[in-house]
Amino acid sequence: MRVVDTSAWIEWLTGSALGARIGKAFPAREQCIVPTLVQLELAKWLARETDEDRTDQVIAYTQKCVVVPIDTSITLRAAELCREHKLATADAIVYATARECDADLLTCDAHFSKLPDVVYFRKSA
């Protein structure tokens, strides 16, 4: 199982060179965990960068994945991860979701790069 961070979704959806590399590590829908927070971040980005049809298509795709809502267990783990790794709240929720689901995290955000069970793709300078 694999949680895909918003940063990786965006690279994949834009078809960037990095997105093409990420695409090879992108899980099949039944193995792809989508935190509801990632759905929110994607919906915001899509509404700003694309049209309503594209937004609807991508969110519909995420709904066919394993959608995990924020619950108390994830919230408490995220609070611990904020303190332990100095993560921002949203990042801690995404990482906590991966930990709660015994999954790894696919991302291209550098602040996750040294954390356990992270598949990190570095953005070019």
Side-chain angles (χ1 to χ4, degrees), residues 6-82:
T6 307
S7 63
W9 277 99
I10 290 171
E11 292 296 331
W12 185 60
L13 290 168
T14 60
S16 69
L18 178 58
R21 290 183 22 237
I22 288 170
K24 294 176 183 163
F26 217 89
R29 286 183 192 173
E30 62 276 0
Q31 297 292 312
C32 184
I33 298 170
V34 183
T36 51
L37 180 65
V38 169
Q39 285 181 313
L40 166 66
E41 291 177 333
L42 276 175
K44 283 176 53 181
W45 178 81
L46 287 158
R48 186 177 62 245
E49 300 294 327
T50 67
D51 59 33
E52 189 176 336
D53 286 340
R54 182 67 172 147
T55 300
D56 291 345
Q57 290 170 355
V58 173
I59 297 305
Y61 180 93
T62 67
Q63 290 176 309
K64 293 178 182 168
C65 299
V66 180
V67 177
V68 177
I70 301 167
D71 63 12
T72 302
S73 181
I74 289 170
T75 300
L76 295 175
R77 186 172 260 195
E80 182 180 311
L81 292 168
C82 282

